[in-house]
């Protein structure tokens, strides 16, 4: 990654910079950021990334040189701008063939698993999914849209928007109809790499035929609203699964003590709407696993299960001195641990017609084994 960046900054060749301007010296951070803004089809993502970098830069670990961190950011912005300038300068006199060959990409070792066409009234866009890698992020996925490069409807074809910020993208979805107030949007489902599986979805507004541009929509600010609106103690730790045609998403819910892989606190159904250039969270429907279980479980069964857990805990502990042994004995007596087996038998007879409650009692009995 750094080798490529140093080459871009030191040799100042047009080969790497593509259609970008040749500079006579290492750019400042402001210059590098301005160049990246002018070239990117994802200005909102760039602004978010810059804000994240700035927050990280302001809290650098002790011993890390701020100047080195700034230089690293300049290099990253320079690489991104060079790629975007190169793609933005491409023009195809005939529409590109979107087979398995990547016709315009920011990935190395690129291949294309899928391509297609989106039609809206008398206009259309071609798109191509891509797979490859980058020196910065490793294995990466890409999406590139091709459309009219000029003002004339029959003008040449060129890349008009792209993203290479996911581990994988899926085929884009055209969103249009009365529910979008006459506007049209294109959603591209995507995920980031890693166990968290965070969202890399991209959303554009398509203003055809007034504009051939795809305008990016902010698809992440709603997360702050979600955190504030979820019930106390419930959280979302990973990416959500969008149902873009219905403007909804579904996600498990996590609670304290859960592993990162698996939320045990229930599920949430999220509804969205688009306002201006932002995706907004309009409604949340929470299915709280604990509360739903409580509503369907008799108090006696809950009491038995809770006491069984406590008895298993104290029963498995050896008192390390006389005081601790006295504390354990008092807890066992308070929980009436000696009566649990008889209570379990009574509860099983009482709820013999409920497989769910019988299974709950059995799980509580096995909790200490």
């Amino acid at each position: 990654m750094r080798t490529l960046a140093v080459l871009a900054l030191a040799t100042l060749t047009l080969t790497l910079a593509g259609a970008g301007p040749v500079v006579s010296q290492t750019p400042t951070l402001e210059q590098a950021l301005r160049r990246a803004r002018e070239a990117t089809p994802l200005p909102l993502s760039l602004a978010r990334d810059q804000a994240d970098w700035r927050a990280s830069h302001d809290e650098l670990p002790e011993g890390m040189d701020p100047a080195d961190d700034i230089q690293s950011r300049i290099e990253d912005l320079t690489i991104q701008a060079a790629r975007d300038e190169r793609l933005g300068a491409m023009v195809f006199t005939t529409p590109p063939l979107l087979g398995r060959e990547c016709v315009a990409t920011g990935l190395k070792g690129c291949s294309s698993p899928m391509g297609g066409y989106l039609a809206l009234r008398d206009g259309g866009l071609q798109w191509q999914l891509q797979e490859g890698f980058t020196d910065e992020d490793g294995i990466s996925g890409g999406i590139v849209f091709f459309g009219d490069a000029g003002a004339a409807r029959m003008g040449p074809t060129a890349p008009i928007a792209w993203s290479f910020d996911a581990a994988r993208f899926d085929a884009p979805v055209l969103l249009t109809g009365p529910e979008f107030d006459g506007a049209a949007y294109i959603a591209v489902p995507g995920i980031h790499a890693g166990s968290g599986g965070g969202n890399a979805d991209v959303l554009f507004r398509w203003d055809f035929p007034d504009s051939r541009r795809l305008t990016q929509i902010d698809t992440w600010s709603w997360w702050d609203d979600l955190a504030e609106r979820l019930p106390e103690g419930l959280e979302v730790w990973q990416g959500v699964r969008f149902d873009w045609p219905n403007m909804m998403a579904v996600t498990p819910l996590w609670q304290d003590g859960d592993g990162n892989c698996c939320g045990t606190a229930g599920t949430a159904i999220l509804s969205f709407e688009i306002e201006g250039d932002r995706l907004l969270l309009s409604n949340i429907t929470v299915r709280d696993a604990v509360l739903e279980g409580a509503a369907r479980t008799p108090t006696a069964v809950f009491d038995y299960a809770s006491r069984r857990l406590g008895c298993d805990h104290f029963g498995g502990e050896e008192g390390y001195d006389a005081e601790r042994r006295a504390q354990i004995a008092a807890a066992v007596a308070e929980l009436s641990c000696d009566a649990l087996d008889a209570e379990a038998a009574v509860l099983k007879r009482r709820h013999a017609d409920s497989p769910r409650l019988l299974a709950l009692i059995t799980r509580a009995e096995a909790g200490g084994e």
Side-chain angles (χ1 to χ4, degrees):
M1 166 184 170
R2 303 301 177 219
T3 301
L4 180 60
V6 170
L7 181 63
L9 296 170
T11 62
L12 308 173
T13 62
L14 281 173
T15 301
L16 182 60
V22 178
V23 295
S24 59
Q25 59 184 1
T26 300
T28 65
L29 178 60
E30 291 72 19
Q31 290 170 333
L33 183 59
R34 186 183 311 114
R35 179 182 174 192
R37 283 180 182 140
E38 291 173 351
T40 182
L42 304 173
L44 301 182
S45 293
L46 177 60
R48 178 197 58 188
D49 292 344
Q50 183 65 15
D52 290 344
W53 173 84
R54 174 57 65 183
S56 175
H57 178 75
D58 290 342
E59 298 182 2
L60 285 179
E62 185 177 353
M64 187 170 182
D65 188 348
D68 289 343
D69 190 46
I70 292 174
Q71 183 61 30
S72 175
R73 181 59 178 165
I74 291 172
E75 294 169 4
D76 291 342
L77 290 169
T78 299
I79 292 171
Q80 179 177 326
R83 177 201 68 193
D84 292 344
E85 288 168 349
R86 175 174 55 82
L87 292 178
M90 287 184 172
V91 174
F92 301 92
T93 55
T94 58
L97 298 176
L98 304 180
R100 294 191 173 273
E101 180 179 354
C102 298
V103 294
T105 187
L107 303 176
K108 294 184 177 181
C110 185
S111 63
S112 175
M114 187 185 304
Y117 187 85
L118 296 174
L120 177 64
R121 296 187 289 276
D122 57 349
L125 288 176
Q126 289 181 287
W127 56 267
Q128 184 183 66
L129 296 183
Q130 300 181 353
E131 297 174 346
F133 69 94
T134 68
D135 294 330
E136 300 80 20
D137 301 317
I139 295 176
S140 300
I143 176 74
V144 182
F145 291 96
F146 303 87
D148 190 340
R153 182 163 299 183
M154 298 304 293
T157 301
I160 62 171
W162 50 86
S163 176
F164 305 101
D165 294 335
R168 187 188 76 242
F169 283 115
D170 292 330
V173 180
L174 178 61
L175 308 175
T176 186
E179 62 269 36
F180 296 102
D181 297 325
Y185 299 89
I186 300 174
V188 188
I191 61 169
H192 289 298
S195 60
N199 289 103
D201 300 67
V202 185
L203 181 63
F204 297 98
R205 183 174 60 249
W206 186 14
D207 295 325
F208 194 91
D210 298 328
S211 171
R212 270 56 178 184
R213 294 176 299 116
L214 294 180
T215 301
Q216 186 186 16
I217 303 299
D218 175 342
T219 57
W220 53 86
S221 294
W222 64 269
W223 281 91
D224 294 334
D225 191 22
L226 174 65
E228 295 177 356
R229 293 171 62 178
L230 282 174
E232 185 71 23
L234 302 183
E235 298 178 302
V236 176
W237 292 1
Q238 298 183 8
V240 301
R241 187 174 71 252
F242 278 104
D243 175 2
W244 282 112
N246 293 306
M247 294 297 287
M248 297 173 59
V250 179
T251 177
L253 293 171
W254 280 256
Q255 58 188 336
D256 186 42
D258 283 348
N260 187 62
C261 69
C262 314
T264 65
T267 59
I269 300 174
L270 314 177
S271 300
F272 298 93
E273 59 186 25
I274 300 173
E275 184 176 295
D277 291 341
R278 291 183 58 191
L279 183 68
L280 300 180
L281 180 62
S282 57
N283 188 57
I284 304 176
T285 302
V286 173
R287 297 189 60 184
D288 188 312
V290 175
L291 293 181
E292 288 192 357
R296 297 189 300 138
T297 304
T299 302
V301 175
F302 254 134
D303 177 68
Y304 163 77
S306 175
R307 288 167 49 227
R308 172 67 77 175
L309 291 175
C311 291
D312 289 339
H313 170 74
F314 288 109
E317 182 179 345
E318 294 184 7
Y320 47 81
D321 57 25
E323 181 180 0
R324 183 54 182 165
R325 287 192 292 273
Q327 292 173 346
I328 294 173
V332 169
E334 183 178 354
L335 292 169
S336 301
C337 295
D338 292 341
L340 284 178
D341 290 342
E343 288 184 33
V346 171
L347 291 173
K348 288 179 180 179
R349 290 194 298 270
R350 183 180 302 166
H351 302 292
D353 60 345
S354 174
R356 183 181 67 86
L357 293 178
L358 290 177
L360 177 58
I361 296 167
T362 301
R363 291 201 303 274
E365 287 180 309
E369 298 179 359

